[in-house]
Amino acid sequence: MRLSCNQIADYERDGFLVLENFVDGSACDRLRARTQELVRDFDLKGVVSIFSTHEQTRTSDDYFLESGDKIRFFFEEDAFHPDGTLRQGKEQSINKIGHALHDLDPVFDSFSRTPEIKQLTSDLGIADPLLLQSMYIFKQPRIGGEVTCHQDATFLHTNPLRMCGLWFALEHATVENGCLWAIPGGHKLGLKSRFMRADGGGTRFEIFDETPWPEDKLQPLEVEKGALIVLHALLPHLSRENTSSKSRHAYTLHVIDASAHYSSDNWLQRSREMPLRGF
Ligand SMILES: O=C(O)CCC(=O)C(=O)O
């Protein structure tokens, strides 16, 4: 399956592309089942790293900063009682798992490295692809937190910018359970900020443009299980809180081009022993 000229033109115009039925339902189910096993085997003693896009700096502890070549678990902000104990089981409390599932787990590896995804990234102009980052996002029923409007290039910067995000719906994603929203054409507004490692340790944001996003132009991207949403590196997008009783599981992959320089001050780094790989 190759992208048509019209699809490529849509992507260039809007900064995103929705491809329904990109993966089989059975492949989505295999990924969900494997994730259930990972969560079951995850020992949370000593790990209380709450992931929140509201206060990125506070939560950028070592556990987060060292996760670029590991499989690590991050909790919903509302998952804990004030005394630090979980309000409900860990299965209902985890916000996401990241960031090297595709290199460390065989089930994620085979979901991520298919001829179809390889062809797609080539059609998008990524000539020498490297799979940079993977995340399993739960968007838990009732406590699934919002992800504020952002560009992925803020977090994963290359020079020149050659990167795309691939967002796979593992369940039906709707406005009700916190689907993605995007500003069509917003990828032409330029890079607003970068989130990077700070010289003295930890992280910081560097702001290039303080103008707020034109959020009145956001459109919901409601999709069925098995759909793929391709996101341009500069596309402003977000997801709202999940206040419904339904989860909204998704898997994301970010692919860069080996010909572009991966910025050494990006928050996400790999150890020398685990270099990035292609398909
Ligand atoms: O799945 C979501 O809720 C948001 C994911 C997202 O925006 C991202 O991974 O950049």
Side-chain angles (χ1 to χ4, degrees), residues 11 37 40-41 69 77 84 109 116 169-170 179 190 198 211-212 233-234 249 259-260:
Y11 178 70
E37 290 174 0
R40 186 197 59 207
D41 297 344
D69 50 13
E77 202 175 357
D109 177 42
E116 291 79 16
L170 304 176
C179 66
T211 11
L234 290 176
H249 291 201
S259 67

Side-chain angles (χ1 to χ4, degrees), residues 135 137 139 147 150 152 167 178 180 237 239 248 250 252 254:
M135 295 188 282
I137 304 171
K139 204 64 142 179
V147 176
H150 67 281
D152 289 346
W167 189 98
L180 283 187
H237 61 285
S239 68
R248 194 236 58 196
T252 68
H254 285 83

